[in-house]
Amino acid sequence: MVGYGWDDYDVRKGGRQTIHDEGNNIDIQTEFIKVEGGQHGGNWGVRIKGTPREDAPMDLKTTVFFYASLEGLGSVEVENEASMSGYDDTVTLKGRTPDLGDFIIDITKGPESNSHPVHEHASREDRPLDRTIVSSLSINPDDLWQTKGILFTELKQEVDWYIEKYTVENTPPACQIFTLANKAGKGNLHLVQKVFEGPFEFDVLYSSGSAPSKLDSNALTKGVESIVKSFSNRFSRIFSRQRPFDQPKYEVFARSLFSNLIGGIGYFYGDSVVDRSYSPEYEEENEGFWEEAAEARDRHNEKFEGPSELFSSIPSRPFFPRGFLWDEGFHLIPVVDWDIDLTLEIVKSWFDLMDDDGWIAREQILGPEARSKVPAEFQVQYPHYANPPTLFFVIDAFIDKLELSNGTGKETKSQGHGYQQEQAFDLYTTHSDHPEVALQYLRNLYPLLKRHYFWFRKTQWGDIKSYDRSAFSSKEAYRWRGRTPTHLLTSGLDDYPRSPTPHPGELHIDLISWMGMMTRSIKRVATTLGEADDAEEFHVYENAIIRNIDDLHWNNDANTYCDATIDDYEEHTHVCHKGYISIFPFLVGLLAADSPRLGHVLDLIADPEELWSDYGLRSLSKRNELYGTEENYWRSPVWINMNYLALQQLLGYASNQSCPQQKRAKELYAALRLNMVNTVYNSWEETGFAWEQYNPETGEGQRTQHFTGWTSLIVKVMAMPDLGPGPKGGHDEL
């Protein structure tokens, strides 16, 4: 497989995707449309087209399967009369469910240009290959997610039947022997098979019984043409690429990244595994707490909960097909510009998962299919584990749009890049176009935001008083729970170096920074809703957090922010591993333009022996003794989500006339923007994929391919303003 994914896609309307299947010598294109109408969601259709690749044999043979299954109440069955030899025209499935009402699904024959294999083996009479094969099965609903395995089992039975009938010495050709038995009728799983030679095309047309009219192939053709054109126009307007990325070669790249980001939005449903034993070991208050916590986990007090439902975008359709809490906030940063209403629906879906205490599981592994993709030791979720609260980025972006629409705010270079107010697309922008709708949404969400915020304060607090630490506030310190000597998965930064030995007196600079961002955001919500007392309370917290970031985490010798721990003499001490966590107050916007720390942060960013590389900012300083070691997940690679945060802040300082570091921030911004886009684009052009992370020495994509979650932030980066050529990198130049 040399590439696959959406070329153009609007989650509300449809789009076009392509699979470049080098191994099977064919490119598959699917064209999908949605047509509103009726009381049950309307119609949809998909066209499946196969085009042999240039090096394919002239008689390339391809078999294609489509299946329809029903897990809940209702029925679906083949409407055509039973036929042992298959069907030479459209196959129709007729169904009804409580939610969908009556519907039909037509699987068409396709155009006359379709060809089918012809051979001289006697088996050709058993199942003519110019017919559509349908096999209807009744399967335990709990097993329907394993349709691929069921299909292979059915095929194996038919292979055995053919061999028994014709013997091993006279085996039918592959295009014949790998066919299903024709047994169409009733069932909850219908496997539909077509066998082609050369290029092919056919449609799958879903028509709701309550829709004004039935969907046909002509309407599908016109619909696809209209959708691709409207998507292109709207995308170019909303994500208007700025120099030097306004060249035509970046157009397909940008549309592909964004289309696959929103093409990864899905609905997930099922039970989850949660340990609510609240074992005292999970308080993590004793030295050696990680060993005690491991013993508690080994008692396996987890239980199934739910089922729950989640509407979410995902990091990678083939590799991470489930919701991740801290990923989601980054995913929605571009989506909020495209479709604010869709974005807010996803945000609400996440907060609807919250329990009575304010906890949201950081990884949503819902149902047996999702669990089949996750090792058993990572399936259990723990209600004392947090995750970065990135959804508050989206809340801030929503309030930005609300203020712009009602005239109380202004669009700055740091806020407004990459989007324009949409007046002609109410479908996408109801909440930003109608302040009363927006305010009602915030009023409904606000109690959940508060509950989540105070859950963080209650469960992730850090200890100041027990260790006689000197700080402005005796309360504003924070520590991630879930630490081991080698990993801190709850932070999102997994293997990033921390103190060699975990300690209950640890304080984490990234977490207090997240808390500062979260506090500022929820204060803004309170202000917008006229909750003056709450806004004042949050203002007090915010001020104390910002003061304590310097008091507890700034190291004067290293001129950087550091984690803190307790040494052998029970004294407060810093653990300084320069890298992403060292610049966290900067990344989340807590450093004032006139902060005396800002120059040191820019020094760290700009130094090629520290974080700067030609491909983006490294996750860990090149000078660090742990650089590139062990798992090397967050110990050197370039991550686009963190680089985006840095770029966004640099733009803010570069646009601020009163910032003493304005000129330097502008130069860094220009250079980093170029490096980020070129890294992702060049790798995409070479491999056909966006990647989870990028090598800081070569720029090559690595780890998970087709990672179109937060790597798609590059679409926003290309739409950010061009502030000049910028240097190519290097401390001396900056």
Side-chain angles (χ1 to χ4, degrees):
M1 199 77 71
V2 294
Y4 54 91
W6 291 102
D7 304 312
D8 303 286
Y9 184 67
D10 183 336
V11 70
R12 292 185 183 273
K13 296 181 178 180
R16 177 182 289 157
Q17 68 176 338
T18 307
I19 302 168
H20 301 284
D21 190 348
E22 186 178 50
N24 289 307
N25 293 302
I26 196 163
D27 291 338
I28 305 289
Q29 186 176 79
T30 63
E31 297 174 326
F32 174 65
I33 70 166
K34 301 178 183 180
V35 182
E36 290 188 350
Q39 292 78 52
H40 300 92
N43 303 333
W44 58 261
V46 59
R47 176 162 295 155
I48 300 97
K49 296 195 289 189
T51 305
R53 295 175 67 86
E54 290 184 359
D55 56 349
M58 293 294 294
D59 61 346
L60 178 70
K61 298 171 180 63
T62 306
T63 187
V64 182
F65 296 94
F66 169 82
Y67 74 90
S69 64
L70 181 63
E71 294 182 339
L73 297 175
S75 63
V76 61
E77 60 186 63
V78 179
E79 189 175 52
N80 307 61
E81 293 184 6
S83 172
M84 295 298 293
S85 61
Y87 302 94
D88 61 1
D89 206 341
T90 296
V91 171
T92 299
L93 303 177
K94 179 178 66 175
R96 177 179 178 80
T97 75
D99 293 328
L100 296 176
D102 295 319
F103 63 86
I104 61 171
I105 302 175
D106 290 328
I107 300 98
T108 70
K109 180 181 180 179
E112 293 300 322
S113 58
N114 284 346
S115 295
H116 307 274
V118 177
H119 59 82
E120 299 303 319
H121 195 277
S123 60
R124 67 184 182 277
E125 301 299 329
D126 296 323
R127 290 166 203 160
L129 298 183
D130 61 347
R131 305 287 186 93
T132 300
I133 300 169
V134 183
S135 187
S136 301
L137 308 171
S138 293
I139 303 295
N140 185 329
D142 293 337
D143 296 329
L144 283 172
W145 67 271
Q146 301 181 82
T147 294
K148 182 178 179 180
I150 294 169
L151 169 63
F152 286 167
T153 298
E154 293 293 309
L155 285 174
K156 176 62 166 57
Q157 292 175 358
E158 298 311 302
V159 169
D160 293 344
W161 177 81
Y162 271 120
I163 291 175
E164 181 179 356
K165 181 175 181 178
Y166 293 105
T167 75
V168 173
E169 291 75 17
N170 190 29
T171 301
C175 61
Q176 185 75 49
I177 198 171
F178 291 108
T179 55
L180 294 165
N182 273 299
K183 46 183 181 180
K186 296 183 178 181
N188 61 350
L189 175 61
H190 303 276
L191 304 170
V192 181
Q193 181 178 13
K194 291 176 177 285
V195 184
F196 299 102
E197 183 170 298
F200 62 85
E201 175 183 316
F202 67 97
D203 299 338
V204 178
L205 306 169
Y206 173 96
S207 296
S208 170
S210 66
S213 60
K214 184 180 176 182
L215 183 65
D216 60 25
S217 293
N218 288 332
L220 175 58
T221 299
K222 294 177 181 177
V224 169
E225 293 172 354
S226 174
I227 287 168
V228 170
K229 182 178 180 180
S230 66
F231 176 86
S232 177
N233 292 338
R234 188 164 187 265
F235 183 84
S236 296
R237 184 171 62 254
I238 292 175
F239 299 107
S240 177
R241 301 186 321 280
Q242 303 302 303
R243 296 182 307 173
F245 308 115
D246 52 352
Q247 301 172 41
K249 70 175 185 178
Y250 294 105
E251 174 71 19
V252 173
F253 166 63
R255 284 163 51 178
S256 173
L257 284 188
F258 182 74
S259 295
N260 284 285
L261 171 64
I262 61 172
I265 294 174
Y267 173 82
F268 304 89
Y269 180 87
D271 54 11
S272 56
V273 185
V274 181
D275 180 350
R276 289 193 184 272
S277 62
Y278 298 103
S279 299
E281 294 90 340
Y282 292 155
E283 296 294 329
E284 301 186 5
E285 292 181 346
N286 302 322
E287 295 188 30
F289 63 79
W290 68 95
E291 295 170 337
E292 297 174 350
E295 292 173 1
R297 289 194 296 272
D298 287 343
R299 292 197 288 268
H300 294 291
N301 290 315
E302 63 269 14
K303 297 179 180 179
F304 287 104
E305 290 189 358
S308 302
E309 60 181 358
L310 176 65
F311 188 45
S312 174
S313 59
I314 58 176
S316 170
R317 287 163 64 194
F319 297 101
F320 296 113
R322 55 190 180 275
F324 289 80
L325 180 55
W326 94 291
D327 294 60
E328 188 75 85
F330 289 108
H331 296 170
L332 294 179
I333 289 172
V335 179
V336 75
D337 296 342
W338 178 263
D339 192 329
I340 183 65
D341 294 350
L342 173 68
T343 301
L344 295 178
E345 191 172 345
I346 291 173
V347 169
K348 183 179 183 301
S349 183
W350 273 98
F351 279 100
D352 283 346
L353 290 171
M354 185 187 302
D355 70 8
D356 291 341
D357 295 323
W359 172 71
I360 304 173
R362 66 189 185 89
E363 190 170 347
Q364 295 296 322
I365 312 168
L366 304 181
E369 183 174 8
R371 286 193 288 276
S372 72
K373 298 270 190 180
V374 183
E377 63 269 26
F378 296 116
Q379 292 179 11
V380 183
Q381 302 296 301
Y382 298 91
H384 61 293
Y385 284 178
N387 215 206
T390 58
L391 289 176
F392 283 80
F393 286 146
V394 185
I395 300 299
D396 266 349
F398 174 39
I399 295 178
D400 284 346
K401 288 180 176 291
L402 178 59
E403 291 178 349
L404 284 169
S405 68
N406 64 22
T408 62
K410 64 178 182 177
E411 184 173 342
T412 66
K413 288 185 178 180
S414 60
Q415 293 175 333
H417 55 77
Y419 74 80
Q420 299 175 12
Q421 288 300 107
E422 290 287 316
Q423 298 299 330
F425 292 88
D426 281 352
L427 187 66
Y428 303 88
T429 59
T430 299
H431 287 82
S432 58
D433 292 345
H434 302 281
E436 68 280 4
V437 177
L439 290 173
Q440 188 58 53
Y441 177 90
L442 283 177
R443 287 191 190 97
N444 294 339
L445 190 66
Y446 184 55
L448 301 179
L449 298 177
K450 286 179 66 176
R451 192 194 310 169
H452 192 47
Y453 176 79
F454 284 107
W455 175 86
F456 263 92
R457 293 182 64 87
K458 179 181 178 181
T459 64
Q460 309 300 303
W461 63 278
D463 194 344
I464 295 178
K465 296 179 181 179
S466 297
Y467 302 102
D468 195 27
R469 284 167 156 145
S470 176
F472 172 80
S473 168
S474 62
K475 296 180 179 179
E476 298 303 332
Y478 295 91
R479 172 170 66 96
W480 295 109
R481 302 313 193 258
R483 184 100 138 84
T484 72
T486 58
H487 287 81
L488 187 43
L489 300 180
T490 52
S491 73
L493 306 183
D494 295 20
D495 67 334
Y496 191 100
R498 307 280 180 162
S499 173
T501 303
H503 192 283
E506 274 187 28
L507 304 176
H508 297 127
I509 177 59
D510 51 331
L511 180 51
I512 192 173
S513 300
W514 284 121
M515 290 303 300
M517 180 278 289
M518 193 183 191
T519 305
R520 181 172 290 179
S521 178
I522 198 170
K523 179 187 75 172
R524 198 172 174 205
V525 175
T527 301
T528 301
L529 294 176
E531 299 288 345
D533 291 344
D534 284 2
E536 178 58 30
E537 179 183 2
F538 294 132
H539 174 74
V540 172
Y541 295 153
E542 178 190 5
N543 180 61
I545 287 171
I546 291 174
R547 292 284 297 272
N548 274 20
I549 285 175
D550 280 355
D551 290 349
L552 295 171
H553 293 282
W554 181 260
N555 185 287
N556 286 317
D557 293 332
N559 281 323
T560 195
Y561 290 105
C562 307
D563 281 344
T565 191
I566 301 300
D567 64 18
D568 293 340
Y569 302 99
E570 293 294 297
E571 296 289 337
H572 174 87
T573 189
H574 287 135
V575 179
C576 298
H577 291 286
K578 291 182 178 180
Y580 285 164
I581 71 163
S582 310
I583 60 174
F584 239 90
F586 161 83
L587 291 176
V588 298
L590 299 181
L591 275 189
D594 59 353
S595 169
R597 317 296 189 200
L598 181 57
H600 296 299
V601 168
L602 298 186
D603 285 343
L604 180 59
I605 288 173
D607 191 340
E609 294 303 312
E610 300 274 19
L611 302 192
W612 190 271
S613 84
D614 289 339
Y615 310 103
L617 302 183
R618 299 180 174 94
S619 44
L620 187 64
S621 169
K622 194 172 183 179
R623 288 196 178 102
N624 192 284
E625 67 275 11
L626 298 177
Y627 181 80
T629 60
E630 302 293 337
E631 186 181 347
N632 192 26
Y633 198 43
W634 290 85
R635 294 190 175 189
S636 75
V638 172
W639 291 82
I640 296 304
N641 61 329
M642 297 312 224
N643 276 260
Y644 173 80
L645 293 182
L647 191 71
Q648 187 181 45
Q649 296 306 321
L650 287 170
L651 178 58
Y653 296 122
S655 307
N656 189 338
Q657 297 289 340
S658 63
C659 178
Q661 301 290 337
Q662 182 189 21
K663 182 176 183 295
R664 196 160 181 234
K666 179 179 178 181
E667 292 173 345
L668 278 167
Y669 164 83
L672 181 58
R673 179 171 174 264
L674 285 170
N675 289 350
M676 289 173 63
V677 175
N678 288 337
T679 296
V680 178
Y681 174 78
N682 290 340
S683 183
W684 177 83
E685 189 175 42
E686 179 181 351
T687 67
F689 297 105
W691 293 82
E692 182 179 11
Q693 56 180 219
Y694 293 86
N695 189 296
E697 312 304 329
T698 66
E700 294 177 351
Q702 55 189 34
R703 294 279 182 166
T704 303
Q705 68 177 25
H706 205 57
F707 194 90
T708 51
W710 61 41
T711 299
S712 299
L713 285 163
I714 287 297
V715 173
K716 290 274 289 183
V717 174
M718 287 190 286
M720 293 168 78
D722 172 36
L723 298 186
K728 295 181 179 179
H731 184 66
D732 293 339
E733 294 175 295
L734 298 171

